[in-house]
Amino acid sequence: MINEDFIDKRETFVDYPLSKLTLDEYTPKQKAQSSEYKLYAIINHHSYSQYGGHYTAFIKIEDNLWVHCNDHILTCVTEKEVKTRDAYLLFYRRTVLTATNVINLTF
């Protein structure tokens, strides 16, 4: 949105997966290999403007346990708390699934 003094930041919530993000439909097919991505960090931007604001981060330290980093203050939070409309950058780590991995996981 354009205002005379500044450009407004969109505050729309965008839902994103914490795990099992797949991009298979957007990437070339490979033999017996698929990739899933797990979210491990989020950078948040808190502001109503693109020209300023405050940045915080969520970092996953183990399954279902995240840390909220706000300057020098670190707070443990749950997975439910990391999905906010302030999410600015999402960091995913690839987990490669091969036929061998799937067989080993299921038996």
Side-chain angles (χ1 to χ4, degrees):
M1 306 271 181
I2 297 179
N3 188 327
E4 289 181 16
D5 298 324
F6 61 92
I7 298 174
D8 292 339
K9 177 184 161 193
R10 289 184 181 246
E11 295 289 328
T12 306
F13 174 75
V14 176
D15 196 15
Y16 47 90
L18 298 177
S19 63
K20 298 186 180 180
L21 171 67
T22 59
L23 302 174
D24 291 345
E25 63 184 278
Y26 307 107
T27 58
K29 302 290 182 221
Q30 297 179 3
K31 293 182 181 180
Q33 183 174 338
S34 181
S35 295
E36 286 185 356
Y37 296 83
K38 292 183 179 181
L39 188 66
Y40 69 91
I42 304 167
I43 299 206
N44 302 292
H45 179 246
H46 308 278
S47 177
Y48 294 105
S49 166
Q50 293 180 1
Y51 299 113
H54 181 67
Y55 291 91
T56 63
F58 291 112
I59 300 171
K60 185 175 185 178
I61 57 173
E62 60 183 59
D63 285 342
N64 301 320
L65 183 59
W66 291 74
V67 173
H68 182 229
C69 306
N70 186 356
D71 294 331
H72 66 283
I73 301 169
L74 305 178
T75 310
C76 290
V77 296
T78 64
E79 278 191 343
K80 291 180 182 180
E81 296 174 86
V82 303
K83 284 190 167 187
T84 70
R85 67 181 190 187
D86 292 322
Y88 184 65
L89 291 173
L90 305 173
F91 295 87
Y92 285 89
R93 182 175 292 121
R94 184 172 70 154
T95 305
V96 177
L97 298 177
T98 63
T100 305
N101 290 347
V102 172
I103 290 170
N104 288 339
L105 289 174
T106 57
F107 290 105

